[in-house]
């Protein structure tokens, strides 16, 4: 029972918090050991707005099958979330579509939404740091999604239709943030996400592999390039084919970076 003498609202709050604790202990906690014993299942650990220390310390030590959920209030980890041995640890970024302070995890009328450019580049950064991205926006009371949200998601969908190979099934590289943007890789290809257009020449240092082919991912157009030791130089068009994010695919002789 809630303590006698408290207001009805306070009592409801205490009871709601107690129910939440009981649900976590009775349902959620039991799933985490199970996920650890079954490698193909993963459990998520959500971190709240004041959990920066736990993300930096505790969850980084979590076993491989338990991934960290960086909540709306947390920034993208840099360079990612890793295990004590330096290997990648699964993690997910959960963000809403609204500008900070404008909305939440349910429908809000008239919030200021983040731009398509901002949303897409955050997706690229999350993938480049080895994480998943969960994007949240809520339906109205009639079950319809706001047209402004759908417009942004459809635009991202069109970008992924042309460039999804650089996101899906990729992993972070050891190259980190470059002057032009971010990198991802799969077993055979290094993907350069060119966000800050460098002009007609793109230079990538520390490429410890031989480049066999360079092309624009969205169109397949071949690009001229040369490589001297670990320095790759690529000739680009004068103007970016995609001003938000152009992807250059570099096919490598060996495994991806």
């Amino acid at each position: 029972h809630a303590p006698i003498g408290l207001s009805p609202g306070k009592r409801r709050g205490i009871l709601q918090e107690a129910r939440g604790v009981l649900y976590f202990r009775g349902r959620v906690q039991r799933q985490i050991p199970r996920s650890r014993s079954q490698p193909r299942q993963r459990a998520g650990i959500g971190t709240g707005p004041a959990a920066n220390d736990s993300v930096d310390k505790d969850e980084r030590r979590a076993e491989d099958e338990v991934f960290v959920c960086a909540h709306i209030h947390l920034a993208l980890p840099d360079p990612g979330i890793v295990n004590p041995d330096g290997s990648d640890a699964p993690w997910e970024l959960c963000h809403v579509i609204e500008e900070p302070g404008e909305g939440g995890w349910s429908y809000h009328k008239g919030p200021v939404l983040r731009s398509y450019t901002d949303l897409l580049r955050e997706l690229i950064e999350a993938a480049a740091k080895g994480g998943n991205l969960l994007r949240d926006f809520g339906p109205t009371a009639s079950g319809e999604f706001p047209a402004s949200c759908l417009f942004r998601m459809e635009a991202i969908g069109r970008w992924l239709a042309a460039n999804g190979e650089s996101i899906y099934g990729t992993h972070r590289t050891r190259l980190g943030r470059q002057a032009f943007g971010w990198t991802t890789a799969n077993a055979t290809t290094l993907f350069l996400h060119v966000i800050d257009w460098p002009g007609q020449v793109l230079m990538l240092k520390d490429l410890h592999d031989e480049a066999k082919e360079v092309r624009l991912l969205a169109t397949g157009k071949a690009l001229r390039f040369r490589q001297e030791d670990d320095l790759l130089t690529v000739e680009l068009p004068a103007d970016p084919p995609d001003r938000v994010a152009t992807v250059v695919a570099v096919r490598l002789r060996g495994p991806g970076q």
Side-chain angles (χ1 to χ4, degrees):
H1 298 283
I4 298 175
L6 297 177
S7 67
K10 186 66 173 179
R11 287 199 296 269
R12 284 195 298 271
I14 293 174
L15 291 173
Q16 182 177 3
E17 182 176 352
R19 284 194 293 268
V21 171
L22 291 174
Y23 175 81
F24 181 83
R25 290 179 177 176
R27 299 292 297 276
V28 179
Q29 277 188 329
R30 295 180 181 179
Q31 302 303 314
I32 294 176
R34 183 183 303 173
S35 73
R36 290 175 178 172
S37 64
Q38 299 177 10
R40 292 190 179 182
Q41 296 186 8
R42 290 179 176 177
I45 298 177
T47 59
N52 291 281
D53 289 341
S54 62
V55 170
D56 289 337
K57 299 174 184 177
D58 298 336
E59 281 88 343
R60 287 175 186 263
R61 294 193 295 270
E63 295 185 22
D64 289 346
E65 293 79 22
V66 179
F67 66 82
V68 177
C69 175
H71 206 267
I72 180 174
H73 303 276
L74 302 181
L76 278 161
D78 191 9
I81 297 178
V82 297
N83 292 309
D85 62 1
S87 63
D88 287 343
W91 66 275
E92 182 175 86
L93 176 71
C94 305
H95 268 188
V96 296
I97 199 170
E98 296 94 347
E99 289 284 357
E102 287 289 332
W105 295 95
S106 58
Y107 172 74
H108 289 75
K109 186 176 181 180
V112 177
L113 302 184
R114 299 169 66 186
S115 68
Y116 158 69
T117 296
D118 187 23
L119 296 171
L120 177 58
R121 290 180 176 178
E122 185 174 62
L123 168 64
I124 292 169
E125 183 178 352
K129 292 179 177 180
N132 278 342
L133 173 65
L134 182 152
R135 179 70 65 203
D136 177 87
F137 58 96
T140 65
S142 61
E144 298 178 350
F145 290 106
S148 54
C149 295
L150 294 178
F151 171 81
R152 286 162 171 77
M153 294 300 101
E154 289 169 353
I156 292 174
R158 288 191 295 271
W159 186 91
L160 285 170
N163 298 284
E165 185 184 349
S166 68
I167 300 293
Y168 299 119
T170 61
H171 55 81
R172 72 182 182 98
T173 75
R174 56 174 181 76
L175 298 171
R177 181 65 160 90
Q178 297 288 310
F180 59 78
W182 298 99
T183 63
T184 57
N186 60 25
T188 62
T189 305
L190 174 67
F191 301 100
L192 314 180
H193 298 266
V194 187
I195 292 171
D196 300 312
W197 199 250
Q200 293 183 271
V201 177
L202 180 149
M203 302 180 71
L204 177 66
K205 299 179 180 179
D206 299 324
L207 181 61
H208 299 162
D209 204 338
E210 181 182 354
K212 302 298 294 181
E213 176 191 53
V214 180
R215 59 187 171 90
L216 294 174
L217 182 58
T219 64
K221 180 181 178 181
L223 299 175
R224 298 180 63 181
F225 70 97
R226 64 181 182 276
Q227 184 173 1
E228 299 177 5
D229 297 325
D230 62 353
L231 175 63
L232 177 69
T233 303
V234 180
E235 296 182 17
L236 297 176
D239 297 315
D242 187 322
R243 295 187 179 276
V244 177
T246 297
V247 182
V248 175
V250 181
R251 185 167 62 86
L252 304 173
R253 175 182 291 275
Q257 292 287 296

